[in-house]
Amino acid sequence: VEIDPDGTFKYILVRLQRPGGEEQRDIVRGTKAAEFHNHIFEKVNPEMEKLGYECKCLGGGKIDHNSKDKKIRVFGLSTGYGKADHSVTVEILKKVYTDYEITWSDDKK
């Protein structure tokens, strides 16, 4: 998981896989610096290829991260990639933000 420490920003759910390998791993990336979801993927993809992974974007949305109140809300969708499975995203986030309240919805805002 690599997301900004505060604010509301776009995120993508990315599946990593070794070429020809069975094992898959999903990662979450999100940042205010990205105007569009594909900007995040364009940064992640070359980084992961250097590590020997193939990347596939499973979709996107938005994250509202409030580190002061220890709350994260996952919502929305990506116009280009479609909606990520927010329930998967939340499970990944819970592994890192263990003491947070993390929720998701299909709301657009």
Side-chain angles (χ1 to χ4, degrees), residues 35-76:
E35 186 180 353
F36 299 105
H37 289 90
N38 64 314
H39 294 165
I40 304 170
F41 188 74
E42 286 164 6
K43 183 176 180 288
V44 171
N45 196 33
E47 290 173 3
M48 293 302 141
E49 283 181 343
K50 278 184 199 152
L51 299 173
Y53 289 103
E54 291 175 344
C55 293
K56 179 182 175 190
C57 185
L58 302 178
K62 288 187 174 178
I63 289 177
D64 184 9
H65 188 177
N66 183 331
S67 58
K68 191 172 130 269
D69 294 341
K70 295 197 171 196
K71 288 184 179 180
I72 294 177
R73 184 171 71 102
V74 181
F75 65 100

Side-chain angles (χ1 to χ4, degrees), residues 12-102:
I12 58 173
L13 183 61
V14 179
R15 176 154 292 158
L16 303 180
Q17 191 170 351
R18 297 264 184 213
E22 290 296 308
E23 188 188 343
Q24 295 180 336
R25 186 167 177 200
D26 295 343
I27 61 171
V28 175
R29 295 291 185 268
T31 178
K32 280 186 238 174
E35 186 180 353
F36 299 105
H37 289 90
N38 64 314
H39 294 165
I40 304 170
F41 188 74
E42 286 164 6
K43 183 176 180 288
V44 171
N45 196 33
E47 290 173 3
M48 293 302 141
E49 283 181 343
K50 278 184 199 152
L51 299 173
Y53 289 103
E54 291 175 344
C55 293
K56 179 182 175 190
C57 185
L58 302 178
K62 288 187 174 178
I63 289 177
D64 184 9
H65 188 177
N66 183 331
S67 58
K68 191 172 130 269
D69 294 341
K70 295 197 171 196
K71 288 184 179 180
I72 294 177
R73 184 171 71 102
V74 181
F75 65 100
L77 55 86
S78 160
T79 310
Y81 294 120
K83 184 174 94 59
D85 185 337
H86 297 327
S87 63
V88 172
T89 301
V90 166
E91 289 311 307
I92 295 168
L93 290 169
K94 281 180 178 175
K95 291 176 188 168
V96 177
Y97 296 95
T98 52
D99 56 346
Y100 269 60
E101 178 189 327
I102 303 175

